Amino acid sequence: MNNTKEENNFPIFTMANRGILLLCGIYTIAWAGLFKWFGPALFSWLAMQSDFDTMMNTGWYGTIGIIAGVLLFLSAFYPVSWIYLLAIGLTGKLISIISFLLVYLPNLEWNKRIGFHLFFNESLFLLLIAAMLWKAWKVKKYLATLPD
């Protein structure tokens, strides 16, 4: 293959990047569904106590997560054109992690299950989505500089 230096300088949004968005969307939907429909049982599991009694409402938390996950999933199909869906999905994930820290964490004791949820389900995917948003923004910015 004869690649020139000019061809390597423009940003591209690869299929692997789309796959990351699809994975983030599906994973977010799955965990949010668990919070929405199995909230008390999930909090009992997160607390590592079989007799954990909580009346915390998790329906709204799950709904925010499902909406964010669907938007992330849809944004994977046209990430450069639908960059606003990606930005709203990232905002939903950010709201999700902040609300978990402020609303639910004070009622739970810190343990490895909560650490897993905060690190993998929230923080890691938040960073991946932010990287994909940055990449899509760079591609959109580059495409705007091209002549029609």
Side-chain angles (χ1 to χ4, degrees):
M1 297 194 115
N2 193 5
N3 290 341
T4 63
K5 188 173 182 168
E6 183 180 322
E7 289 181 50
N8 293 333
N9 285 337
F10 64 87
I12 57 173
F13 203 92
T14 64
M15 291 304 286
N17 297 128
R18 291 174 190 226
I20 289 172
L21 283 178
L22 288 171
L23 178 67
C24 289
I26 291 170
Y27 202 76
T28 300
I29 292 169
W31 269 95
L34 287 174
F35 274 102
K36 181 163 179 63
W37 291 294
F38 304 107
L42 185 59
F43 272 114
S44 178
W45 177 78
L46 281 173
M48 296 182 77
Q49 300 170 2
S50 60
D51 61 342
F52 184 74
D53 185 32
T54 181
M55 298 313 268
M56 293 185 290
N57 184 9
T58 60
W60 64 272
Y61 180 74
T63 302
I64 291 171
I66 289 172
I67 292 169
V70 167
L71 292 175
L72 290 171
F73 182 81
L74 289 176
S75 71
F77 294 107
Y78 301 104
V80 177
S81 299
W82 293 352
I83 197 166
Y84 58 90
L85 289 180
L86 187 53
I88 295 170
L90 178 69
T91 304
K93 283 298 277 183
L94 190 60
I95 290 169
S96 177
I97 192 169
I98 290 170
S99 63
F100 188 87
L101 290 171
L102 295 177
V103 176
Y104 301 122
L105 193 60
N107 297 328
L108 300 168
E109 293 181 22
W110 183 262
N111 58 51
K112 60 185 171 185
R113 290 179 184 170
I114 292 172
F116 170 82
H117 173 69
L118 286 176
F119 180 73
F120 285 105
N121 299 340
E122 300 293 346
S123 302
L124 181 65
F125 282 107
L126 185 73
L127 294 174
L128 285 173
I129 296 164
M132 296 303 106
L133 180 62
W134 176 256
K135 185 88 164 182
W137 182 76
K138 282 176 36 180
V139 171
K140 187 172 184 107
K141 186 177 166 185
Y142 173 76
L143 291 175
T145 64
L146 294 178
D148 292 334

